[in-house]
Amino acid sequence: MSDNNRRDAAARAGNNLTRISLVFLAVAGVIVFYVGTGRISLSEPVELTANISQPNTWTETGPLSLDVTVTLANNTEEPLALETGSQCDIFRWFLTDEDQNFVQSQRGEETCVEVPVRGELEGNHTISGNYTLPLDTSRVKPGDYILFLKYWGHERREPITID
């Protein structure tokens, strides 16, 4: 192959690489534009988030609890039907160790009438609940755990550290 043919092939390859790069930049620009203007949402249609804090440090004699705020977001335009078997089923939780061995769950001390609870979460709205989770210091020691939460039928697991 002559030097001219090699130079021509290299020039064509360079031109093709430039065109491909420009196409990728244009596509990325369009995506950024649509996400930035809110025309495309990267969030889940229905999203459960949790904010967890430990108000007191662990001691052998306790008390020990977690403060949990859960938020259910309907990121769609359509209303979301909410339904549970009873008022006590709106929020449920249990705690496992890092290997997912059961440690503690919600106590059944609350009296509930077994009547279904129904509601609706409008499109692009949220609903929140604040809960205090009492923990048994004979079961829960300082360390890493996984908190499983269920709010209005939507589940989330959160890694936590007990101090």
Side-chain angles (χ1 to χ4, degrees), residues 73-86:
N74 180 2
N75 298 320
T76 69
E77 300 291 328
E78 300 298 318
L80 174 67
L82 303 174
E83 184 173 349
T84 65
S86 75

Side-chain angles (χ1 to χ4, degrees), residues 89-159:
D89 291 335
I90 292 173
F91 178 77
R92 308 295 293 167
W93 65 272
F94 68 92
L95 188 68
T96 68
D97 63 16
E98 288 181 296
D99 297 325
Q100 296 190 9
N101 297 310
F102 177 81
V103 176
Q104 184 181 342
S105 68
Q106 184 170 350
R107 296 182 179 122
E109 299 167 351
E110 226 177 312
T111 304
C112 283
V113 178
E114 294 298 320
V115 174
V117 178
R118 292 183 178 93
E120 186 175 87
L121 181 56
E122 292 297 320
N124 296 312
H125 282 79
T126 62
I127 186 172
S128 295
N130 299 312
Y131 301 92
T132 298
L133 315 183
L135 300 177
D136 183 349
T137 55
S138 67
R139 294 176 169 206
V140 180
K141 308 291 184 202
D144 294 325
Y145 295 88
I146 302 171
L147 180 61
F148 289 80
L149 305 167
K150 189 172 186 180
Y151 185 61
W152 283 106
H154 297 271
E155 298 177 357
R156 180 163 187 89
R157 62 175 74 177
E158 287 286 329

Side-chain angles (χ1 to χ4, degrees), residues 48-53 67-71 91 128-131 149:
L48 179 62
T49 57
N51 184 10
I52 303 166
S53 64
D67 289 337
V68 177
T69 300
V70 287
T71 302
F91 178 77
S128 295
N130 299 312
Y131 301 92
L149 305 167

